[in-house]
Amino acid sequence: MIKNLLGIKGWAFAGKFSLQRYAYILQRITGLGIILYLLMHLYVTGFKIKGQEAWNSIMQTVHHPILHFFEFLLFICVIYHALNGFRLILAEFGIGIGKPGRQVYPYTTSVDRQKGFFFFLMFLVLIIVLVGAADFYLLPK
Amino acid sequence: MKESKLWSLHIFSGAILLILLGIHMVIMHFDKILNLGDSLAWKSVLSRMQSTSHTVIYLLLLLFAVYHGLYGVRSLIFELNLSKKGRSVVSFIVVVVGLVALIYGGYAIIAGHMAKLS
């Protein structure tokens, strides 16, 4: 296992590794947000088994504007985590990062091979988030 | 189980979640755009709760999401150069939290499906 010698700083500081590393850090931050939400989500949605009254009551509580905004932030986290995660799954199977070869000077790196794809996915994230924002805030119920 | 197998399961669960969570997100957050009706209204909740296909989707979603999420948290904490004992404690806590989430969530999904609510 690769050791994180920088400790907590190593989680947030990308140093010279630039874009890919920040995408990776963001993947982890969004992942943490999503798992924390999942545990709360399980608790809240559990109210449905108590019937309509209990459900409407908990929905009234969670329909606070601030909580609604946090829900939208979480929506953005999920979209980013899913699409960037899709890229990481492809990379895991060696798709889109070039063929492995002998290292000869000047050394090349496969790290930036998915840069274009990454920007394309981030464009998709933006589009989905904008559509989601319309659904969250603009359209009437 | 070997670390490499746990990692493969993490990747596999991520791929499954792309589909299952995708379905869930469309139903919950594109309901107005797609004219599906208010997804949080009791009528919609009840209809999904009583539908067998939704119940199966929710059970699979719960299983893969809990595993994927908690394995991710465990990997993150493991990077802090913990001792062997520290790792065992973290793994134990993660398994307990996972089991509680699976039992509670699974109970809510199945009990909701079986209950005669209206």
Side-chain angles (χ1 to χ4, degrees):
Chain A
M1 182 177 284
I2 299 167
K3 284 190 175 179
N4 172 16
L5 297 174
L6 292 172
I8 291 173
K9 188 186 170 194
W11 283 342
F13 178 61
K16 62 180 181 179
F17 297 104
S18 72
L19 188 71
Q20 292 274 341
R21 180 73 185 175
Y22 283 107
Y24 177 69
I25 291 168
L26 209 52
Q27 184 75 1
R28 300 175 141 215
I29 293 170
T30 52
L32 275 178
I34 295 165
I35 185 69
L36 282 177
Y37 175 81
L38 173 68
L39 299 176
M40 288 188 289
H41 187 58
L42 286 177
Y43 173 72
V44 170
T45 52
F47 276 77
K48 66 187 178 184
I49 60 172
K50 293 178 184 170
Q52 184 173 8
E53 215 168 286
W55 177 257
N56 288 341
S57 161
I58 191 78
M59 281 300 108
Q60 259 185 345
T61 312
V62 296
H63 271 152
H64 190 278
I66 292 174
L67 292 179
H68 194 58
F69 175 69
F70 275 111
E71 200 187 350
F72 180 60
L73 276 187
L74 191 99
F75 172 77
I76 299 174
C77 287
V78 170
I79 302 301
Y80 173 82
H81 195 87
L83 290 183
N84 191 51
F86 173 61
R87 181 181 67 84
L88 294 175
I89 291 173
L90 293 183
E92 181 75 18
F93 291 104
I95 299 167
I97 54 171
K99 285 183 181 171
R102 186 183 290 275
Q103 281 289 35
V104 182
Y105 188 82
Y107 304 122
T108 55
T109 170
S110 63
V111 168
D112 285 335
R113 288 278 178 98
Q114 284 188 331
K115 213 173 192 172
F117 186 49
F118 173 74
F119 283 123
F120 168 71
L121 289 174
M122 289 308 103
F123 177 69
L124 269 186
V125 170
L126 181 70
I127 300 289
I128 298 171
V129 165
L130 287 176
V131 175
D135 205 281
F136 260 83
Y137 287 108
L138 299 180
L139 297 176
K141 272 189 184 178
Chain B
M1 199 184 276
K2 275 186 182 175
E3 269 315 306
S4 58
K5 281 203 173 149
L6 295 176
W7 170 248
S8 299
L9 265 176
H10 183 66
I11 300 281
F12 175 71
S13 57
I16 299 286
L17 283 173
L18 275 174
I19 301 163
L20 296 180
L21 197 56
I23 296 170
H24 185 59
M25 295 294 277
V26 166
I27 293 171
M28 300 312 294
H29 297 299
F30 293 115
D31 52 343
K32 293 176 210 157
I33 283 178
L34 298 175
N35 211 11
L36 303 173
D38 183 5
S39 57
L40 290 175
W42 174 249
K43 204 178 141 192
S44 308
V45 173
L46 188 68
S47 131
R48 287 196 299 276
M49 211 160 47
Q50 290 173 339
S51 143
T52 306
S53 55
H54 271 100
T55 302
V56 172
I57 287 175
Y58 283 142
L59 282 173
L60 291 173
L61 190 56
L62 173 73
L63 181 70
F64 288 114
V66 166
Y67 176 79
H68 188 84
L70 289 179
Y71 178 83
V73 172
R74 177 180 170 270
S75 304
L76 221 99
I77 298 171
F78 270 22
E79 285 181 9
L80 289 177
N81 303 327
L82 300 176
S83 63
K84 206 176 170 187
K85 194 182 171 190
R87 286 181 177 209
S88 301
V89 171
V90 170
S91 294
F92 177 75
I93 294 170
V94 161
V95 169
V96 170
V97 172
L99 284 177
V100 170
L102 285 178
I103 292 168
Y104 179 79
Y107 167 74
I109 295 167
I110 293 168
H113 183 65
M114 310 281 270
K116 289 182 171 50
L117 296 166
S118 56

